[in-house]
Amino acid sequence: MPDTPRPEPTTRVGSTYRVQVRPGFDLDATAALADYLRDLGVSHLYSAPLLTATPGSEHGYDVVDHRSVNPELGGEAGRRRLVAALRAAGLGLVVDIVPNHAGVARPAANPAWWDVLRAGRASAYAPWFDIDWDRGRLLLPVLADTPDALDDLKIADGELRYHEHRFPIADGTGDGTPREVHDRQHYELVDWRRGDAELTYRRFFAVSDLAGLRVEDPEVFAATHAEILRWADAGDLDGIRVDHPDGLRDPAGYLARLRAAAPDAWLVVEKILEYGEELPDWPVDGTTGYDALAAVGGLFVDPDAEGDFTALDGRLTGRHTSWQDLTHDTKREAATRLLAAELSRLAALVPELPTEQVRASLAELAAAFGVYRGYPPQGARHLAAARAEAGRRCPDLTAVLDAVTARLRDPGHELAARFPQLTGAVMAKGVEDTAYYRWSRFVALNEVGGSPAHFGTPPAEFHRFATARQVRWPASMTTLSTHDTKRGEDVRARLAVLSELPGRWAEQVAEWMSRAPLADPAFAHLLWQTAVGAWPVGRERLHAYVEKAAREASVSTSWADPAPAFEGQLHALVDRMYDDPELHAEITAFAEGITPAGWSNSLGQKLVQLAMPGVPDTYQGTELWENSLVDPDNRRPVDFAVRRELLARLDAGERPAVAADGAAKLLVVSRTLRLRRDRPELFTGYRPLPAHGPAGAHAVAFDRGGAVAVATRLPLRLARAGGWRGTSLSLPVHRMTDLFTGRVYSGSELLLDDLLSTYPVALLAPTDPVEAAA
């Protein structure tokens, strides 16, 4: 990795607060948060996408009209009111944008897509979408999986109708029966199963309602970015978060064009890096923080427990499977089943070789690809490694693998341009959305950007990561929770406690599984971990979670073919957790027993994330304890009134205990963010601070150039060993104040027993500004 520091962005974004702006919590509701966010200490609101999305969209990633602000959010007037409220509070705005795809679930809502359906290849908007017109009509997978589905077609108001779905009729083709009219269109309505296998347009992953955009075309880029760039030019926008750059044909070229169009913007990309992978040298300020999430969360996991959890997994499931073999299989399934249409399109680019062998070779290469997508210069190395692994697994494909790989190495071949778009989708669907629900060894590590095969992050490894980040990507985002995380940060923090008591957990979960068996023991282990991690979680929330998780795992049930018998057994198990008094009491007692250590981990990882190099993001609501599970659970409404009240009490001088109301976490968040905002000169470097003494391995401490963060790791082991027992920390200056307790410390050595007697974390700042400057 180059050691050359990157320049700071022109627009300083100190910290962000993510808000899921949506119908039900619109731009005016968001504007009403401005004073609270200011008091919390953030510098910028970080908003979900704001452009017009599919009517009723709860997330905004299905943009249907790039020319305007979503009217369901308040439209352009609402955006202006938001900007005015933020400015009045001294805050800025960062907005999420979606260049890779557009929403097409309701064609009439998307003027460009509607015109393409009406006029076909002749539409002025045909170049907007990544459509393979050479394969025939544009296939739309909306029909029921029945042979007579087309009998339900109707013509009404000059449109073709299929139940609630509306489609345009090309000029001069409207005479005759609905079937006859349908057969004359530029599109063909097909059942969803055929669509998955034969679709003629690129999608976002396997979501047929999101059609790929061709933003590599300068005209398409200009049309789809004009409104966003207008906000930037007007000074209304300080930062841009780019969704899913791996899906683009030419991410580097796209980002260069975006940087040129918005030279002063803080620019971060949702690029998910695998363990040890470096961000390409793009003209951006960094990633959206999943790399930091993995490194920080791993600090609070005990690496010594890996063997115990591996053995437990084998006993519970009756088999031993490596992460490498599992993910190879799930990725190959994704390539050949969920993304079969995309695979077929790529195979057609090598017509001189047997199609099925080309398909098999491409699927094997994608399954063996070690990262989401290869970029120069590392991309050649990843491709070589994938070729070697694919050859080892499928020696009968050697000749075709060699021929296909040669084309993938040729930058002028269309296959080389399109294959990287497939590998990212295969990784996302095969690992994030499948393997993470099958690999239940220790689910605290099953997180976007994480590496479940690497059991924890030793402090020395974290310090190397943070030091390099300070040099190379000082303005990259850090985060612990997003709308895409599989579990909320506090759920993972509590689950990390299980790594400190593997024997006890093994006995408890085995006993529960024997009393309340499930036909899929691997999923049962995931369920029991999730339950104790989020407990007390509402019954209906847990029901919704287990159904989604089991279908994502696609072992005993699936989205394509739900298994009523298994799902009935699964829901019965969830109900038993609540209705069986003895079992409910045991779950409650176990969860309560690990909660205090979980709170310690939560405070520790939050302080580290907020204070380490980078621009820290706080996901909505996570300034208090937050036990969210996967989307849509993590988009639930946030009670900001409670947060305002607690913050006011803290500002009135209250020093809360580490307790169930979460005020201690709010204290950590607000004081750390305010210090970063008010004294940025204290956060300009990074130096690990080793703790000296018998419990030194339990402290994570670093000096950011004046501000010192100290966190406790592995609190149960620390307690069993007798506490801090004379362990001390050397201070960079001789008089410092802990921002959480208000206590002033003098001297060069500080006993951790004293420093961490109130909270398991501390944030120290020089009491004397002269000392800080020195």
Side-chain angles (χ1 to χ4, degrees), residues 647-722:
L647 186 58
R649 285 162 46 187
L650 296 180
D651 290 343
E654 182 176 316
R655 287 293 177 265
V658 181
D661 66 358
K665 190 179 183 188
L666 182 60
L667 177 71
V668 169
V669 172
S670 61
R671 273 42 183 176
T672 308
L673 291 179
R674 289 177 184 181
L675 185 64
R676 291 196 67 142
R677 179 193 64 194
D678 299 338
R679 301 183 68 181
E681 73 280 1
L682 301 181
F683 293 86
T684 56
Y686 187 86
R687 182 170 65 92
L689 292 180
H692 309 288
H698 290 276
V700 180
F702 50 84
D703 174 10
R704 287 300 320 281
V708 171
V710 186
T712 302
R713 61 187 296 268
L714 312 183
L716 292 186
R717 282 184 56 179
L718 175 65
R720 289 196 296 264

Side-chain angles (χ1 to χ4, degrees), residues 142-304:
V142 299
L143 299 181
D145 185 21
T146 58
D148 59 351
L150 284 173
D151 292 345
D152 291 333
L153 285 176
K154 294 180 174 58
I155 295 176
D157 298 327
E159 298 174 351
L160 197 62
R161 302 283 177 88
Y162 176 72
H163 299 295
E164 74 277 15
H165 301 283
R166 300 166 49 202
F167 304 95
I169 296 175
D171 295 344
T173 65
D175 294 334
T177 67
R179 285 286 295 270
E180 290 171 338
V181 172
H182 167 265
D183 291 344
R184 299 188 192 109
Q185 301 312 306
H186 297 284
Y187 55 86
E188 178 183 357
L189 306 184
V190 299
D191 73 79
W192 61 270
R193 291 185 190 273
R194 181 184 169 194
D196 274 347
E198 302 178 27
L199 213 62
T200 50
Y201 61 92
R202 179 173 62 83
R203 303 171 288 178
F204 169 71
F205 298 159
V207 184
S208 299
D209 289 343
L210 299 173
L213 290 169
R214 296 183 60 254
V215 292
E216 66 271 15
D217 183 324
E219 293 185 4
V220 178
F221 176 93
T224 56
H225 289 69
E227 184 67 1
I228 294 290
L229 295 176
R230 181 180 72 82
W231 304 346
D233 289 343
D236 293 346
L237 187 62
D238 301 312
I240 298 173
R241 181 261 198 193
V242 178
D243 183 68
H244 188 47
D246 279 341
L248 304 178
R249 180 184 177 95
D250 178 18
Y254 166 81
L255 293 168
R257 181 175 285 119
L258 183 60
R259 171 56 78 199
D264 297 333
W266 179 63
L267 190 59
V268 290
V269 288
E270 190 205 19
K271 171 60 186 156
I272 299 168
L273 301 170
E274 287 296 282
Y275 184 81
E277 183 185 5
E278 298 290 343
L279 182 65
D281 192 20
W282 289 335
V284 300
D285 294 298
T287 74
T288 52
Y290 287 112
D291 46 347
L293 183 156
V296 174
L299 270 174
F300 300 88
V301 172
D302 188 350
D304 293 345

Side-chain angles (χ1 to χ4, degrees), residues 499-712:
S499 71
E500 298 192 70
L501 34 85
R504 183 182 168 200
W505 172 248
E507 292 177 5
Q508 182 66 81
V509 74
E511 198 271 333
W512 282 338
M513 287 174 64
S514 67
R515 281 168 51 195
L518 189 68
D520 184 340
F523 190 80
H525 193 203
L526 178 144
L527 168 55
W528 286 108
Q529 290 177 78
T530 301
V532 300
W535 203 264
V537 56
R539 183 195 301 244
E540 294 310 311
R541 288 176 56 206
L542 192 55
H543 273 301
Y545 170 79
V546 297
E547 182 171 292
K548 175 173 180 172
R551 291 181 179 183
E552 295 280 39
S554 197
V555 173
S556 300
T557 186
S558 68
W559 293 110
D561 295 294
F566 175 78
E567 291 189 4
Q569 183 186 23
L570 184 60
H571 289 299
L573 173 55
V574 171
D575 281 332
R576 185 172 175 183
M577 291 179 174
Y578 295 89
D579 296 336
D580 181 328
E582 183 178 357
L583 183 59
H584 186 273
E586 289 176 4
I587 298 170
T588 300
F590 189 93
E592 288 177 349
I594 63 174
T595 291
W599 285 339
S600 176
N601 289 341
S602 293
L603 296 179
Q605 69 176 7
K606 197 65 179 177
L607 173 62
V608 171
Q609 179 249 328
L610 295 177
M612 69 183 287
V615 175
D617 177 58
T618 302
Y619 184 73
Q620 60 175 34
T622 60
E623 61 269 39
L624 298 186
W625 308 134
E626 219 281 325
N627 71 341
S628 284
L629 300 173
V630 74
D631 170 57
D633 194 64
N634 56 27
R635 300 181 198 267
R636 288 172 297 126
V638 175
D639 190 337
F640 285 105
V642 167
R643 287 156 175 79
R644 288 178 185 273
E645 179 186 349
L646 285 175
L647 186 58
R649 285 162 46 187
L650 296 180
D651 290 343
E654 182 176 316
R655 287 293 177 265
V658 181
D661 66 358
K665 190 179 183 188
L666 182 60
L667 177 71
V668 169
V669 172
S670 61
R671 273 42 183 176
T672 308
L673 291 179
R674 289 177 184 181
L675 185 64
R676 291 196 67 142
R677 179 193 64 194
D678 299 338
R679 301 183 68 181
E681 73 280 1
L682 301 181
F683 293 86
T684 56
Y686 187 86
R687 182 170 65 92
L689 292 180
H692 309 288
H698 290 276
V700 180
F702 50 84
D703 174 10
R704 287 300 320 281
V708 171
V710 186
T712 302

